[in-house]
Amino acid sequence: MSRFFTAGDSSSESSSSDEEELYSEEEAGQKSEEESDEDEEASDDEDESSSDSEGPGKSGVSKFLRDQVSSDESEDEDKVTIVKSAKDKRLEELESVVKLIENAEKINDWSSISTEFDKLNRQVTKMTAQDKTPKVYIKTISDLEDFMNETIAKQKVSTKKMNATNAKGLNAMKQKMKRNNKDYTSEIDKYREDKGEYMVSDEEDEVIVVEKIKKPKSVYVEGADTGDDEGFETVGRGGKTLQYTPESIFKHLRAIVESRGKKNTDRAEQIRIMERLLDVAITPYQTIRVLLTLISTRFDLTSGSTATFMSQEQWKLAENEFGKLLEVLEENRNMVVLENAEEWEDDDKPPQPTPGEKLRIPGSIVSIVERLDDELTRSLQHIDPHTAEYIERLSDEQALYTNIVRGLLYVEDLQKDSKLETTQDSANRVVMRRLEHIYFKPAQVVTILEETAWKAIPSQLDSEITPRGSSPDTAALVQTLSTYLFKHSVDIIRARAYLCQVYYFALHDQYYRARDMLLMSHLQETIGNFNINTQILFNRTLVQVGLCAFRANLVYESQNTLQEICGSGRQKELLAQGVMIQRYSQVTPEQERLERQRQLPFHMHINLELLECVYLTCSMLLEIPLLAQTGSSPDIKKRIISKTYRRLLEFHERQIFSGPPENTRDHVMQASRALAAGEWKKAAELINSIKIWELMAESDKIKSMLSEQIQEEGLRTYLFTYAPFYDTLAVSVLASMFELSERKVAAIVSKMISHEELAAALDQVNSAIIFRKGVELSRLQSLALTLSDKASGLIEANERTLEQRTQGTANAFERQGGQGGRGGRGGRGGRGGQRGDRGGSRTRGGQQFGGGALGGAIKA
């Protein structure tokens, strides 16, 4: 046994039993010194280590230190590595608990965090009784408090709730952190002011102690964080030096790539490593390889965590790095990034391109563009659109659009070289992304977007699809991109490009062009075969065409176009502007998650209140004259244009008291009642007082158009309602009543006569309308017709009830082949059949039972 252990044994005989639990054999030798002054242990060791007048325990330690420096007694050195003081042991236990807390943070497990936090506090209480608070503990509680506040903030805006266990753990931690951190406020503030300096000072303090018992090669390397021209060094665990040099870049990248997808992978640490590798990269090949891996790893941050979208900071870093990647590729034309390139296996020696050929690097520029676009869209889906944060996040779209255009230029450049064998699909995907960013925007916004993008792109770069100096007309830009996709793509991308073009034309009031394109595409017949996102785009296009028809004063076309979407009552769901969770719906959590992923960002929404207002107004202008026509002529078959509008109108009429209109629907319903009563001025005033019209361009023009339409439909309603009470009616009287010109009144009446809506003749000489009297029904005849209608409705209701109850098995009640209903039991079926035949023959000549399908079922 060495002298160190011998000295330790002799000294430890005088120590108490309690001190033996706290001190190791080495510290037992230093006990007499530490009892006098424990806080100045390190300095006392240095002063007294050279003294020869100490006790036998101290001389053993001094001898050990001299042996460690001289490195002659390897046996002593080997045994020193096994010995650990109580302080070191407690520090290791503390670090293990901190590691468990960090792992629990990654999976958002607040129950485990709460448990481990209690254990951490118990350990720190034991350590602070003998020494000052460890800085690792200060770092842990500070970071944990920040993480807790961030989680609480996310939970307030998130639609997904925590489970009960997690929520309970989070609330417990909230109370614990509030009480616990009061005692360490000053230390936490110091740490947050400069985290690096705070922790580095702690490491330097520890190294001074370690320096006396470990080999000199484990000493902290000064300047490790600053680096130099050839690289920089970092001391890892166990004093192992990590080298980041240009020669080791590919080895580090391979290790990072191989760890992707594995559990417990610290992606944030990988990103820090690659940022350092990017700083020491010398050649363009190294820079390209590091950037490709770094951008992919940033995208992986959200894939395995609880975060639903990429943070703005990480997104901007990825976007900047993508810009750097394109710059390097544009400057080095002898290197290209291709999806079908082979992976280079040799990490020690970079590949050397053969003369006249380009070096192919595996990667995908198009995939990075698409992922940047998807992450921005996902973040906009989850941010509250009524906050400044949404506006700030939306401003990043300009940078994204610039990168999309720049990525398209790079893909076009690759296509020029036939040796590279690039696919057309890459160009189609980038063009489609560019088109999807401009089709729903007004022309002025698209112009600004294009000009800013081309200013940020180097002047030597140009596009063949959309040249830099092309016309600033945005309609021509949309036409060019759509035509390119028509020629070079198939199926879904072509259909989406077609719908985007129709949407753009409808948005800019080119109704007839948009309508003709939509009808010629025949997409309404095959849209059910496409994916859900394309179906949503089709619904949006259909609604935009309907709104365009309304702005063009085409009421019937607008109502007919909007009927399918607005009549369903599921506008939010069909336009991907909200999730409608019904009470008894059979939607699985996975389906609900996919539904939420398909939601459009707020700035792409079509105003649903405006859509409903347009639909109900068009329905009113068509339904009120129709109701008046069928009411005055009972022999005319009843026809319903909009069931939704009829249902709302009937509900409004059943109300005993109706106050002033409060919303859009109330305005339209009260205007409908006024129009039906002949008060066209009141109806026009109610419609024009709806504030939602201000959201439309040229709202004054829309209001005057609606007033004219209400005047004309009011005239038609009046003629339908009061025609039976007139023999002749002067055109001038109608013109004065509805403030229309006589020429306009004559035109409207002539149109009604030609369509056989009005039984009358127009006397142009006397400028009067001569009504023809038809067969007038008496009161009894009218009631008989009403009773007949109600009876037929009752029969239809009975048949529907029977069909629902039997679920399509109505034929089960019929007896076939004369067999009785209980013929399944041997001979009794025959007797039942005979009785059935005899019963049938007796009742054949008597009174028959009738009552539709329900009566037939009962009779059977």
Side-chain angles (χ1 to χ4, degrees), residues 354-371:
T354 57
E357 291 190 3
K358 295 181 178 181
L359 177 60
R360 304 185 182 192
I361 304 172
S364 177
I365 298 296
V366 180
S367 297
I368 296 175
V369 170
E370 291 179 331
R371 189 64 188 271

Side-chain angles (χ1 to χ4, degrees), residues 435-695:
L435 183 59
E436 287 178 344
H437 274 273
I438 62 176
Y439 80 94
F440 63 93
K441 292 183 172 68
Q444 300 87 343
V445 178
V446 177
T447 302
I448 296 171
L449 203 64
E450 280 285 313
E451 290 176 353
T452 309
W454 282 110
K455 285 179 183 177
I457 297 174
S459 57
Q460 68 270 18
L461 299 177
D462 203 355
S463 171
E464 292 184 354
I465 302 174
T466 56
R468 181 188 291 266
S470 59
S471 172
D473 183 16
T474 55
L477 174 64
V478 174
Q479 178 79 28
T480 303
L481 295 176
S482 302
T483 305
Y484 179 84
L485 292 174
F486 297 159
K487 292 180 180 178
H488 300 93
S489 65
V490 292
D491 299 335
I492 292 179
I493 292 183
R494 176 182 291 181
R496 292 184 67 84
Y498 205 92
L499 291 171
C500 288
Q501 189 175 7
V502 173
Y503 188 103
Y504 183 85
F505 289 148
L507 184 65
H508 292 82
D509 295 330
Q510 301 182 42
Y511 169 71
Y512 291 104
R513 191 174 181 183
R515 181 201 65 181
D516 294 343
M517 285 188 64
L518 191 60
L519 292 176
M520 286 189 297
S521 68
H522 297 286
L523 278 172
Q524 58 271 22
E525 300 169 6
T526 59
I527 192 64
N529 300 328
F530 290 91
N531 58 15
I532 295 178
N533 289 326
T534 306
Q535 294 180 29
I536 291 170
L537 179 58
F538 176 81
N539 294 338
R540 285 167 51 79
T541 305
L542 202 62
V543 166
Q544 200 59 249
V545 171
L547 294 175
C548 181
F550 177 78
R551 293 193 295 268
N553 199 10
L554 301 171
V555 174
Y556 177 77
E557 288 82 353
S558 176
Q559 199 278 338
N560 195 26
T561 307
L562 297 176
Q563 172 69 37
E564 188 176 357
I565 302 296
C566 299
S568 64
R570 299 165 54 224
Q571 296 95 312
K572 273 188 178 181
E573 186 179 351
L574 294 175
L575 297 176
Q577 296 181 190
V579 180
M580 299 178 64
I581 304 299
Q582 298 178 358
R583 182 178 297 177
Y584 301 108
S585 62
Q586 301 294 329
V587 179
T588 63
E590 180 67 17
Q591 290 174 334
E592 183 180 349
R593 184 182 64 82
L594 293 174
E595 186 71 22
R596 293 189 184 279
Q597 285 182 355
R598 287 192 287 264
Q599 300 304 298
L600 294 173
F602 183 77
H603 68 282
M604 296 178 66
H605 284 193
I606 297 171
N607 193 305
L608 294 179
E609 188 178 355
L610 176 63
L611 181 62
E612 183 187 33
C613 183
V614 169
Y615 174 69
L616 292 178
T617 303
C618 293
S619 299
M620 178 193 74
L621 295 174
L622 296 175
E623 283 280 10
I624 295 300
L626 183 62
L627 285 170
Q629 183 183 8
T630 55
S632 61
S633 303
D635 54 334
I636 296 177
K637 186 178 180 181
K638 291 186 177 180
R639 183 165 58 94
I640 298 177
I641 296 177
S642 172
K643 290 184 179 180
T644 305
Y645 174 81
R646 287 281 184 98
R647 187 168 58 250
L648 292 173
L649 187 62
E650 290 172 2
F651 175 77
H652 191 267
E653 288 176 347
R654 285 198 301 267
Q655 291 182 342
I656 300 173
F657 172 77
S658 58
E662 297 179 354
N663 52 30
T664 303
R665 190 175 294 178
D666 290 347
H667 278 86
V668 177
M669 292 301 110
Q670 292 197 14
S672 302
R673 296 184 67 177
L675 186 61
E679 302 176 6
W680 67 269
K681 287 186 178 179
K682 182 180 179 182
E685 182 182 350
L686 284 167
I687 292 296
N688 289 336
S689 63
I690 299 175
K691 296 181 180 179
I692 199 72
W693 300 125
E694 302 297 332
L695 297 179

Side-chain angles (χ1 to χ4, degrees), residues 3-16 19-20 22-36 41 44-45 48-49 54-62 64 83 85:
R3 287 169 292 180
F4 165 70
F5 284 102
T6 306
D9 292 337
S10 62
S11 176
S12 60
E13 291 176 359
S14 62
S15 62
S16 63
E19 290 170 330
E20 287 176 355
L22 296 175
Y23 295 98
S24 64
E25 293 176 340
E26 174 192 349
E27 289 176 329
Q30 301 173 359
K31 169 181 169 299
S32 60
E33 183 180 323
E34 289 175 348
E35 284 178 348
S36 62
E41 175 185 356
D44 290 342
D45 288 346
E48 300 179 14
S49 61
E54 297 294 331
K58 186 63 187 176
S59 62
V61 175
S62 301
F64 162 68
V83 176
S85 66

Side-chain angles (χ1 to χ4, degrees), residues 69 146 185 203 232 263 332 413 554 591 603 648 702 797 836:
V69 175
D146 295 339
T185 305
E203 291 173 7
F232 53 88
K263 290 184 178 180
N332 300 272
D413 186 63
L554 301 171
Q591 290 174 334
H603 68 282
L648 292 173
I702 297 292

